[in-house]
Amino acid sequence: MRFSEPVRMSEDGDHSPVWARSKRRRGNPFISLLVTLLALFGVLTAVLGIKEKSLAEGGAMMDGWISSAVSKVKGEAPKVADQAGEAAGAAATRAGDAAQAGAAAASDELKKQ
């Protein structure tokens, strides 16, 4: 009498049955995140399509949200870059002053010896 593979594995003392294995195979987390985001996008599209009674109008609403976010980022990016540049310049000036003060203190210490 021939037994199937799961039966032979269950009768073997070293192996547990195939259906009793606790180890789950996990996929790539990036792929899981991507699939989740696509599913959320699909649900949002369906909800807006129902609300606006047209998928085209729901898509237009999402396009409006995206374009307003992009224009906001484009409008604020130069201002933020200028502020970051000014902060970096001020930090460099303070670091230079601190280095100069340290060098002067070291020079004075060497002159005393």
Side-chain angles (χ1 to χ4, degrees):
M1 178 176 204
R2 293 188 166 193
F3 294 107
S4 64
E5 184 70 21
V7 172
R8 277 185 284 167
M9 290 179 69
S10 68
E11 291 175 352
D12 190 8
D14 295 336
H15 296 83
S16 62
V18 173
W19 58 88
R21 290 185 184 166
S22 61
K23 296 178 185 176
R24 285 185 55 204
R25 292 188 182 186
R26 301 213 183 257
N28 188 350
F30 178 73
I31 299 297
S32 299
L33 177 68
L34 186 64
V35 168
T36 302
L37 290 176
L38 286 174
L40 288 174
F41 182 73
V43 168
L44 179 64
T45 303
V47 167
L48 286 176
I50 292 169
K51 180 184 172 221
E52 298 296 321
K53 296 180 182 166
S54 168
L55 286 177
E57 291 178 16
M61 183 181 284
M62 282 194 294
D63 287 342
W65 294 343
I66 293 170
S67 64
S68 67
V70 168
S71 65
K72 185 176 181 180
V73 168
K74 284 184 179 180
E76 292 180 6
K79 183 172 56 173
V80 172
D82 288 342
Q83 290 173 351
E86 290 172 3
T93 302
R94 287 194 306 272
D97 292 344
Q100 190 176 12
S107 176
D108 291 342
E109 196 66 35
L110 287 174
K111 286 180 185 176
K112 290 180 184 177
Q113 292 179 355

